[in-house]
Amino acid sequence: MPHTLPSWDKLISKKRFESIGSKYTSDESVRGEFQRDYDRIVFSSAFRRLQNKTQVMPMPESDFVHTRLTHSLEASVVGRSLGRIVGKSILERHPELAEDKNIQEADFGDVVAAACLAHDIGNPPFGHSGEDAISSYFLSEEAQPYLQNLTEAEKADLQRYEGNAAGFRVLTYTYPAHCKLPDDVSHSGLSLTFTTLATFTKYPKESLPVVENTKNTSEKKYGFFQTEKAWFNTIASELGLLQKGTAGEVFYHRHPLAFLVEAADDICYRIIDFEDGLKLGLVPQEQGISLLRQILNDNPGRKSSLTFYDWREEIGYLRARIIGKLIEETSALFLQHEDEILAGIYDKPLINELACKPILDQIKDLSIKLIYQNRPVLEIEAAGFEVLGGLLDAGIKAVFKPESKHHRKLAALIPPHYLQLPQTATDYERIIHITDFVTSLTDQAALGLYRKIKGIELPRMY
């Protein structure tokens, strides 16, 4: 039986997960629903912790280098521009959205900006190597005794740990407060709109089945844990997302605006991480500037009418022009493929179709070689494996072996809301809570706690 294609009037929904007993209604003439989403993310503690999480260089000594926080803010700015440009054209093509649902051009920008702002909110310490460290721990012999009662899908959540799924959990899960158990609390998290949550979810599937050798970008990872898949099902049903897979699998095509979130992230990390590498001296100055100029098709022999104080200022100027160019071209590509995206036929990063992709690929290859695989980065990431594995092992033993005095002392170091679970909680739920705790830590907090529990560093006594 053929699926009904999703329509923008369902895809742009202001419905949200609200807390139990909430009677608040907003005045959209002051602040739109999607702007409320953006503001809630900004004021969340999980977003604030991104200021001390790795983007390019783990625990950088330079205050210039981007953190996850500055990267997320910049991606949200790019995302807002992409959303507004696309939204303007969509409203021209579908005027009923404004007439019947009061959807404005700014709403598209606010949705994409909010999703971009949160896109790294679930990332563990030490960047993507942190995800690998968590996965490796749950694949290790030390972890196996605690996984015996888990389903295959629950094991896959842990053994293929995914920051995107952790981010969806941050946005949708409420921990117990004031000693209440989770049963007494609404699972609403930040109470974001369904549209923002779906736009955030670049990989709208659960961890199983693994789609081997897929060319579809939305199938390469997964976007929510078993604990949240029912919530995503609710969102997908409300918005009319196209379903994939077989009956019983929580597996969907992307919300169309998720392509813009992916594009904003790609543009920012590809260009701005490269800028960081140049300014840190990791990328040769002439080679880097030459590549940036090529994106703009600037004649290398042409003299600029502008005068720069130094080459760093010129890089900032080139970066600003490049991002403007990529925003314009990427939004045009989205609108060109709108029907294919809605039908679920188009499933690849928009940045891959840009005319300057060969140059962007050179920048990516150079960044991997000279920045991401720089020796200090690799050394700190290797240490991160030991730190995160050690913290997970200590935390899980504190939960599963409370009879040990040592483990009880370890439990005292974990914030109580990660430990307060009903008697009916499964082993998987207990493990997820400990993983939530470790994932929430900043790079420095994770390293500091690891040193203390291992006796490498003792706290100061006052």
Side-chain angles (χ1 to χ4, degrees):
M1 184 176 178
H3 293 288
T4 302
L5 291 183
S7 59
W8 286 110
D9 66 325
K10 285 198 73 174
L11 289 167
I12 307 297
S13 169
K14 297 176 182 179
K15 186 170 182 179
R16 66 177 67 242
F17 289 128
E18 288 288 7
S19 299
I20 291 174
S22 174
K23 298 179 181 179
Y24 176 78
T25 56
S26 66
D27 179 358
E28 286 207 72
S29 67
V30 176
R31 186 170 62 138
E33 290 297 326
F34 304 121
Q35 192 176 353
R36 286 178 66 198
D37 287 348
Y38 186 95
D39 296 349
R40 289 180 178 194
I41 295 164
V42 166
F43 283 99
S44 68
S45 58
F47 180 72
R48 187 166 63 249
R49 284 193 291 269
L50 292 177
Q51 68 183 310
N52 231 336
K53 288 196 176 186
T54 295
Q55 173 61 19
V56 180
M57 298 292 289
M59 296 183 289
E61 295 181 8
S62 167
D63 58 4
F64 169 81
V65 175
H66 287 79
T67 65
R68 288 283 171 185
L69 184 75
T70 47
H71 166 70
S72 298
L73 288 167
E74 289 166 345
S76 76
V77 171
V78 173
R80 179 180 287 110
S81 296
L82 288 169
R84 284 200 170 211
I85 294 169
V86 164
K88 181 179 180 181
S89 292
I90 288 175
L91 289 170
E92 290 170 355
R93 296 176 182 182
H94 308 279
E96 70 279 0
L97 291 173
E99 295 165 3
D100 300 340
K101 295 194 66 178
N102 191 30
I103 300 299
Q104 306 299 320
E105 173 185 317
D107 289 326
F108 286 85
D110 289 342
V111 166
V112 180
C116 287
L117 193 71
H119 81 280
D120 277 344
I121 205 166
N123 276 29
F126 305 109
H128 290 297
S129 70
E131 294 171 302
D132 295 337
I134 293 171
S135 301
S136 294
Y137 171 74
F138 286 112
L139 286 165
S140 69
E141 290 184 12
E142 291 88 344
Q144 298 317 300
Y146 310 109
L147 306 183
Q148 293 178 1
N149 296 325
L150 274 60
T151 67
E152 290 305 308
E154 290 169 346
K155 289 179 184 177
D157 284 357
L158 301 170
Q159 294 175 340
R160 296 178 55 244
Y161 191 79
E162 181 55 57
N164 289 284
F168 188 82
R169 180 168 167 82
V170 168
L171 299 177
T172 58
Y173 181 73
T174 302
Y175 290 94
H178 306 299
C179 298
K180 291 183 180 179
L181 295 176
D183 296 22
D184 302 319
V185 183
S186 167
H187 280 50
S188 59
L190 300 184
S191 296
L192 304 183
T193 60
F194 287 8
T195 293
T196 293
L197 289 169
T199 301
F200 165 86
T201 309
K202 293 191 292 185
Y203 308 101
K205 67 180 293 294
E206 54 186 315
S207 55
L208 294 180
V210 176
V211 185
E212 300 286 356
N213 303 316
T214 180
K215 293 183 179 180
N216 295 327
T217 188
S218 68
E219 299 173 351
K220 293 180 182 297
K221 300 180 182 180
Y222 66 95
F224 40 84
F225 297 131
Q226 294 300 298
T227 41
E228 282 72 52
K229 74 175 184 178
W231 294 118
F232 191 83
N233 245 345
T234 300
I235 292 167
S237 176
E238 175 71 23
L239 301 182
L241 299 187
L242 284 177
Q243 194 158 12
K244 286 187 182 183
T246 59
E249 292 177 0
V250 184
F251 192 178
Y252 291 89
H253 289 275
R254 279 180 173 177
H255 189 289
L257 296 183
F259 287 93
L260 298 183
V261 175
E262 179 178 59
D265 184 28
D266 285 343
I267 289 170
C268 286
Y269 91 76
R270 195 74 62 92
I271 301 303
I272 300 176
D273 285 8
F274 191 65
E275 179 187 9
D276 277 0
L278 272 163
K279 292 188 175 180
L280 288 169
L282 301 176
V283 177
Q285 174 188 333
E286 290 187 10
Q287 184 180 12
I289 291 178
S290 174
L291 285 170
L292 295 177
R293 286 175 178 160
Q294 287 177 54
I295 295 175
L296 296 168
N297 295 318
D298 281 356
N299 184 340
R302 181 177 68 87
K303 290 187 177 180
S304 172
S305 60
L306 298 174
T307 301
F308 300 105
Y309 289 110
D310 61 18
W311 62 271
R312 293 176 182 82
E313 188 181 20
E314 182 182 3
I315 289 172
Y317 168 74
L318 292 173
R319 176 247 303 147
R321 286 182 58 201
I322 288 168
I323 288 178
K325 172 186 170 72
L326 297 183
I327 286 172
E328 183 181 335
E329 294 178 358
T330 302
S331 55
L333 278 169
F334 180 95
L335 292 167
Q336 176 187 331
H337 293 293
E338 179 192 352
D339 290 341
E340 297 165 75
I341 290 171
L342 286 170
I345 299 169
Y346 188 96
D347 195 351
K348 55 187 173 183
L350 290 166
I351 200 171
N352 283 1
E353 286 203 62
L354 294 173
C356 62
K357 182 181 183 294
I359 305 166
L360 292 174
D361 285 346
Q362 288 183 57
I363 286 175
K364 180 180 179 180
D365 292 342
L366 204 58
S367 295
I368 291 171
K369 180 181 177 182
L370 300 179
I371 303 173
Y372 306 133
Q373 293 182 354
N374 180 263
R375 184 174 179 84
V377 172
L378 295 177
E379 287 173 347
I380 293 175
E381 288 181 346
F385 262 74
E386 295 297 322
V387 170
L388 297 190
L391 291 177
L392 282 170
D393 194 55
I396 288 172
K397 285 176 178 175
V399 169
F400 284 90
K401 297 183 177 180
E403 66 280 359
S404 163
K405 185 180 291 186
H406 174 59
H407 294 157
R408 287 200 300 273
K409 289 181 178 180
L410 290 175
L413 298 174
I414 300 172
H417 59 276
Y418 292 107
L419 301 173
Q420 292 170 343
L421 284 160
Q423 293 295 322
T424 55
T426 65
D427 287 355
Y428 171 71
E429 289 168 334
R430 296 178 191 279
I431 293 170
I432 279 287
H433 269 235
I434 293 301
T435 309
D436 289 346
F437 166 60
V438 173
T439 299
S440 74
L441 296 170
T442 64
D443 295 7
Q444 291 175 338
L447 182 58
L449 181 59
Y450 178 78
R451 284 171 170 167
K452 289 180 176 66
I453 66 173
K454 294 295 183 180
I456 299 170
E457 177 184 303
L458 296 177
R460 293 180 181 179
M461 304 298 290
Y462 295 97

